[in-house]
């Protein structure tokens, strides 16, 4: 796979489709490698006339890992912020957003459509806030404004993120199956064997629980709400959310759409906190219908 140096780090990426088509940057979620954007899904987007770019966020996959940075204590971080102290984290959500723009710079893309899932949705929201002139359109999937007034994850879903790191390859694989059962789409249940295969490939490609913890501290805990800053956006926005998401409840997607002027909200019944293959065509079609009328400049 190709890689480049951007924003001071190595970024691993893959592209699909015609380089001369409008660019669509895909940003994945917490601890998830770019492999979670299935090749078949990316090809569907490319078939619509988009040059699809996906990449590993910092601290996951084959992009730079901040191994010299300590793993933040979530409890200490929350306590310090409650007292008004600046968060002591190795990077912020704004740094992760700058990684996306840095990759686009390296690829010679001035303006792009951006799409993020879960934490990736938070990253693309931040990209649109930080440099709206470079964003043709935004799609935020199963994500949130992170406003503290929003409902929390279902306890069983929250427990998926709070459990200690796996201590073996086999345990990591079986945990992926269990996580899919808990937070996945009830109407479109995942094939356990397919989950095991993907989890095994991801484990062998890169396994770094400390990197996931650093991402969580920087992006989920230390960043705070974006609701008010989103109110000033004029970027064409599509919000996609599952009606049955136990990790990031539907109210979070509704809040995101309500905060951004003119945003379109697509609620999918039976969808949880994943992108099941049965919904790939529907979601790809929705993204393309939203993005392509918004402009094709690159």
């Amino acid at each position: 796979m190709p890689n480049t140096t951007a924003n001071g780090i190595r970024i691993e990426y893959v592209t699909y489709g015609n380089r001369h088509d409008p660019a669509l940057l895909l940003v994945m979620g917490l601890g998830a490698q770019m492999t979670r954007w299935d090749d078949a899904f990316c090809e569907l987007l490319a078939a619509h006339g988009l040059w699809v770019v996906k990449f590993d966020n910092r601290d996951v996959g084959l992009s730079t890992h901040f191994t010299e940075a300590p793993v933040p204590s979530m409890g200490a971080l929350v306590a310090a912020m409650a007292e008004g102290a600046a968060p002591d984290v190795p990077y912020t959500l704004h740094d992760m957003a700058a990684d996306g723009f840095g990759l686009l710079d390296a690829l010679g893309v001035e303006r792009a459509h951006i799409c993020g899932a879960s934490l990736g949705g938070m990253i693309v929201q931040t990209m649109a806030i930080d440099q709206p002139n470079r964003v043709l359109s935004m799609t935020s999937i199963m994500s949130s404004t992170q406003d503290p007034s929003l409902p929390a994850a279902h306890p069983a879903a929250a427990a998926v993120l709070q459990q200690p790191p796996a201590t073996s390859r086999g345990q990591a694989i079986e945990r992926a199956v269990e996580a899919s059962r808990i937070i996945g789409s009830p109407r479109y249940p995942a094939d356990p064997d397919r989950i095991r295969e993907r989890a095994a490939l991801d484990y062998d490609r890169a396994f770094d629980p400390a990197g996931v913890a650093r991402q969580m501290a920087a992006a989920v805990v230390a960043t705070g709400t974006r609701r008010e800053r989103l109110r000033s956006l004029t970027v064409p926005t599509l919000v996609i959310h599952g009606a049955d998401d136990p990790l990031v409840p539907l109210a979070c997607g509704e809040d995101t759409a309500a905060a951004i002027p003119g945003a379109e909200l697509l609620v999918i019944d039976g969808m949880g906190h994943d992108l099941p293959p049965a919904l790939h065509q529907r979601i790809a079609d929705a993204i393309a219908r939203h993005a392509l009328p918004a402009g094709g400049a690159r």
Side-chain angles (χ1 to χ4, degrees):
M1 292 183 183
N3 63 80
T4 190
T5 299
N7 197 29
I9 66 170
R10 168 195 165 112
I11 297 181
E12 193 83 4
Y13 70 94
V14 173
T15 67
Y16 302 80
N18 187 333
R19 188 181 181 92
H20 299 291
D21 286 337
L24 170 66
L25 184 73
L26 298 179
V27 189
M28 191 32 80
L30 178 68
Q33 301 180 49
M34 64 174 168
T35 52
R36 295 293 185 92
W37 295 112
D38 284 358
D39 289 338
F41 178 72
C42 296
E43 294 288 0
L44 287 172
L45 289 165
H48 278 287
L50 291 161
W51 187 48
V52 180
V53 181
K54 68 179 184 180
F55 69 104
D56 284 327
N57 284 313
R58 57 173 61 199
D59 255 337
V60 297
L62 302 182
S63 290
T64 292
H65 289 236
F66 287 67
T67 53
E68 295 182 0
V71 178
S73 164
M74 300 301 170
L77 181 60
V78 171
M81 292 181 67
E83 295 176 359
D88 183 15
V89 291
Y91 51 84
T92 69
L93 202 61
H94 296 279
D95 295 309
M96 299 184 78
D99 293 344
F101 285 125
L103 175 57
L104 292 175
D105 288 340
L107 295 175
V109 177
E110 176 60 29
R111 303 180 71 208
H113 304 283
I114 57 177
C115 171
S118 195
L119 169 62
M122 301 174 191
I123 293 171
V124 297
Q125 290 172 31
T126 305
M127 291 177 72
I129 289 168
D130 288 351
Q131 298 192 55
N133 60 309
R134 298 196 61 183
V135 178
L136 292 169
S137 75
M138 175 175 70
T139 302
S140 178
I141 305 175
M142 54 190 177
S143 194
S144 173
T145 67
Q146 292 181 278
D147 195 85
S149 66
L150 291 169
H154 185 280
V160 170
L161 297 184
Q162 295 166 356
Q163 60 188 334
T167 57
S168 70
R169 183 177 187 271
Q171 185 181 57
I173 292 170
E174 292 309 312
R175 280 192 181 178
V177 175
E178 181 66 4
S180 176
R181 184 187 68 79
I182 294 171
I183 70 173
S185 298
R187 188 175 295 179
Y188 310 97
D191 177 357
D193 289 338
R194 182 175 181 272
I195 298 297
R196 288 188 180 93
E197 180 181 9
R198 186 184 68 190
L201 291 171
D202 282 353
Y203 185 96
D204 294 340
R205 186 171 181 263
F207 180 68
D208 184 8
V212 179
R214 287 188 292 268
Q215 279 193 352
M216 181 177 291
V220 180
V221 180
T223 299
T225 179
R226 285 175 301 284
R227 182 190 281 169
E228 290 306 314
R229 287 171 291 168
L230 289 170
R231 295 192 192 283
S232 65
L233 283 187
T234 58
V235 171
T237 298
L238 170 65
V239 177
I240 301 176
H241 216 101
D244 301 286
D245 190 330
L247 186 63
V248 183
L250 174 59
C252 299
E254 293 172 332
D255 182 63
T256 303
I260 302 172
E264 175 188 352
L265 174 64
L266 171 61
V267 177
I268 301 180
D269 290 336
M271 175 177 164
H273 200 77
D274 63 351
L275 296 169
L279 291 176
H280 282 179
Q281 186 73 62
R282 182 178 180 184
I283 294 173
D285 289 350
I287 293 170
R289 280 197 305 268
H290 166 68
L292 291 175
R298 295 190 59 239

